[in-house]
Amino acid sequence: MLASTSLAAPASNPLLTPSSLPYQAPPFDRIKDSDYVPAFEKGMAEHLAEIRRIANDKAAPTFENTIVAMERSGQLLNRVQNVFYGVYSADKDDAMDAIDSKEAPRLSQHQDEIYLDPKLFGRVRTLWEKRDTLSLTPEQAMLLDVYYKQFVHAGAELSASDQKTLRDLNTRLTKLETAYGQKLVASAKAGALVVDRKAALDGMDDGAIAAAAKAAEGRKLTGKYLIPLQNTTQQPALAAMKDRATRKALFDRSWTRAERGDANDTRKTIAEIARLRAQKAALFGYPDYAAYALYDQMARTPEAVNAFIHKLVPATAAEQHREVAALQKVIAADHQKFALQPWDWTHYAEQLRKQEFALDQDEIKPYFELHTVLTDGVFYAANQLYGITFRPRKDIPVYNPDVMVYEVRDKDGSPLGLMYFDYFKRDNKSGGAWMSNFVGQSDLLKTRPVIYNVANFTKAAPGQPQLITSDDVTTMFHEFGHALHGLFASQTYPTLSGTSVARDFVEFPSQFNENWAMDPKVFAHYAKHYKTGAPMPQALFDKIKKAAHFNQGYALGEIVAAAQLDMSWHELPASAPLQNVDAFEKKALDETGLDVAHVPPRYRSSYFLHIWSNGYSAGYYAYLWTEMLDQDVYSWFMKHGGLTRENGQRFRDMILSKGHTMDYGPMFRAFYGKDPEIGPMLSHRGLTDTDTDTGTGN
């Protein structure tokens, strides 16, 4: 990308008009960094002018001239935001950092201009108060209710003085959250482990070592080896590394990546974010930010979230205790006398897995070639369940050469949408994996979905096969589950379309889709040796299935600990002093009831991107909550024939195509027949609990 951020002449700016490409796909071959600022500025100006026309309309408010008019407004701004932040998260440069630092606070102020406009809110409130007399369709009624609650939640009913305070808080928070995200990318890049000797990487396969050498060359570290950090606490290479000192070095680089006392140290930033969020919640009369943030979620309250999380602790803690003892025996059998530490866990867990199940990850990886997994696994499962088909589109421009594009056709052959896949790690890419839209679906706006899946898989060295891990396979199915939720969107109004649902519902379709990765029919279709094309031997598949419950004390425990850490930060009252991050984190983790000494949280406070910059504040529990939902529904599928078109169509009709057109509890009960239960989730993980009633009642 070009480094300049100077204003481009409107005639040369491709963001200022809808794209002429299929599905209005972004013209990445024409977009320059210098196009974004003028597009943001013009987009905000146009949107605000549209909003003021609605607010100042002398005609009495109607659903059409107020709510629908707002749904039609801001199309330029929405377009530039979708493109900019889609690329910014995946392929940023210094110029884009500067643009984000400038525009993010302005976008926050822009939102305040809309939601704190008393005339506009007056029109919305008038319609909401007489909603029962308007003869609205169910989707229209939901849209009106969502708008009213969003205005109230954004401060429309606060006093003028409190609104002034709110505007200041929002601007300060946006600046801090933007700075946090930029620091985290930089700290992860700087935190990569550089190894001088190949011998220190003993245990890693040749492909992984070649990739480490290539990564080092990319930073002009010829003759060395570089292990980049993924966004989680544990790092994949730890499982293979035999040298304990190297394992500890890699773990420490991960654990302290954003706590080095340098310009990328995030601790002061997150302490201030937590303090300001608590102050913001207090403005609205909430006891803490968690209560403020959960108002529109399926769980509704911090009490419901905490009760749910605490139900997972006893079985998880008991399994962790058993696993620690088992791993300590493996260490002793290896003629070692040290006590198990977090940097030892995955290494010795892999040895124990081999002992108990004769299962070696190096034996498995040759059957997981990325492109085969995508086309013969992810796409195949979607075809079997929903009848959709996929065709590569080499003619659609992309923002990076690694990106692949596919057109998606519905069961009757009609156009459904466009999909981008960007799977490989880059130093300028945010950590983790995600899905979002370049273009959202809306019948009102006559748009079909243009969706992207992004991940951070290690790219093979040139000439090497693109083999991935079993965790990577799960990630591909997970993110495509989000994509299906977006592709099957069938809403009139963009605000309610597709994945525009609560955090503790949006992960449900994605986690449900993970189940098909190990479905025997799907697995046999994609798990083929990259050299011979031979399917994975049944005996090896059986071992994988048998080992599915292995290490679940760790796997579940790291997520539960992170969810509780998130809630602890966001249950701070406004009266609490500015926190010492290290002391606060230690106290919060000590109170979890879990063995955090051996099983640290999946994300530490200082690199917990989800809760400080990605919209999951007081919401990380959603991954666990929606695992409960997905396992309930998967158990329903298994009782009704499993992977069938009939079952897939029912799930599409009742869940995937609904967007936010109805409340989540009734939507779930309509499919499952009753409230969510925790039993299938624990059973799926090989854990048991005598009390399977969640008591959600939503």
Side-chain angles (χ1 to χ4, degrees), residues 200-245:
L201 304 181
D202 185 27
M204 295 173 59
D205 63 43
D206 291 342
I209 293 174
K214 182 71 175 176
E217 287 179 14
R219 297 198 195 180
K220 297 181 170 48
L221 299 170
T222 305
K224 299 182 185 296
Y225 303 87
L226 185 137
I227 311 293
L229 296 181
Q230 70 172 25
N231 64 326
T232 53
T233 296
Q234 284 286 358
Q235 301 298 307
L238 290 168
M241 286 178 172
K242 293 181 179 180
D243 185 78
R244 191 169 191 242

Side-chain angles (χ1 to χ4, degrees), residues 234-461:
Q234 284 286 358
Q235 301 298 307
L238 290 168
M241 286 178 172
K242 293 181 179 180
D243 185 78
R244 191 169 191 242
T246 308
R247 288 202 306 271
K248 184 178 187 304
L250 178 56
F251 181 89
D252 287 345
R253 298 294 290 182
S254 174
W255 186 247
T256 63
R257 72 185 78 178
E259 298 191 358
R260 298 183 181 276
D262 57 9
N264 295 323
D265 193 310
T266 63
R267 286 173 290 185
K268 289 183 180 179
T269 305
I270 63 177
E272 184 67 3
I273 290 173
R275 186 177 72 89
L276 295 181
R277 284 178 177 173
Q279 291 178 8
K280 178 175 177 176
L283 270 183
F284 289 84
Y286 286 97
D288 51 56
Y289 193 80
Y292 171 80
L294 290 166
Y295 86 103
D296 63 345
Q297 302 299 294
M298 190 174 179
R300 299 291 186 192
T301 67
E303 292 76 18
V305 171
N306 289 325
F308 165 70
I309 292 174
H310 291 158
K311 277 183 168 291
L312 300 173
V313 170
T316 306
E319 182 63 14
Q320 287 178 340
H321 181 74
R322 190 196 68 77
E323 290 172 4
V324 169
L327 293 179
Q328 199 65 59
K329 288 180 180 178
V330 178
I331 292 171
D334 196 32
H335 308 293
Q336 304 292 332
K337 295 183 178 180
F338 57 79
L340 176 72
Q341 296 295 331
W343 50 88
D344 302 313
W345 189 293
T346 56
H347 179 71
Y348 285 98
E350 184 59 24
Q351 290 192 27
L352 183 58
R353 189 198 309 268
K354 292 176 184 178
Q355 292 175 18
E356 291 192 355
F357 306 103
L359 193 61
D360 186 339
Q361 289 297 325
D362 290 339
E363 185 183 5
I364 295 170
K365 280 183 69 174
Y367 293 93
F368 295 155
E369 195 280 323
L370 184 145
H371 295 89
T372 304
V373 173
L374 179 63
T375 58
D376 293 351
V378 174
F379 291 172
Y380 175 74
N383 174 263
Q384 294 298 295
L385 285 165
Y386 312 111
I388 59 178
T389 56
F390 305 84
R391 181 170 68 93
R393 291 294 300 258
K394 305 284 189 183
D395 58 320
I396 303 293
V398 294
Y399 56 84
N400 185 284
D402 286 341
V403 180
M404 303 176 289
V405 184
Y406 285 81
E407 184 178 22
V408 188
R409 294 270 173 170
D410 211 339
K411 56 185 180 293
D412 60 359
S414 61
L416 191 59
L418 210 57
M419 276 292 313
Y420 294 65
F421 298 91
D422 180 4
Y423 282 136
F424 301 126
K425 182 171 182 60
R426 294 184 287 272
D427 283 342
N428 62 342
K429 180 189 278 190
S430 296
W434 60 92
M435 164 270 179
S436 193
N437 288 62
F438 287 127
V439 181
Q441 179 276 335
S442 167
D443 291 346
L444 178 72
L445 304 181
K446 295 180 172 52
T447 53
R448 293 192 180 99
V450 177
I451 294 171
Y452 52 91
N453 278 177
V454 183
N456 271 274
F457 304 155
T458 299
K459 190 175 183 179

Side-chain angles (χ1 to χ4, degrees), residues 386 435 437 441 449 451 479-491 496-502 505-510 651-652 655-660 664 667:
Y386 312 111
M435 164 270 179
N437 288 62
Q441 179 276 335
I451 294 171
E479 297 306 332
F480 195 72
H482 282 308
L484 289 169
H485 200 183
L487 286 168
F488 291 148
S490 185
Q491 280 65 63
L496 305 179
S497 180
T499 57
S500 299
V501 297
F505 198 81
V506 76
E507 297 296 335
F508 161 35
S510 56
F651 189 60
R652 174 178 178 173
I655 301 292
L656 294 179
S657 66
K658 288 294 187 184
H660 186 194
Y664 309 115
M667 190 190 303

Side-chain angles (χ1 to χ4, degrees), residues 6 49 66 162-163 193 212 248 250 326 430 444 476 483 488 496 499 520 534 600 633 648 661:
S6 60
T66 302
D162 283 347
Q163 285 186 356
L193 178 68
K248 184 178 187 304
L250 178 56
S430 296
L444 178 72
M476 290 173 68
F488 291 148
L496 305 179
T499 57
V633 168
T661 57

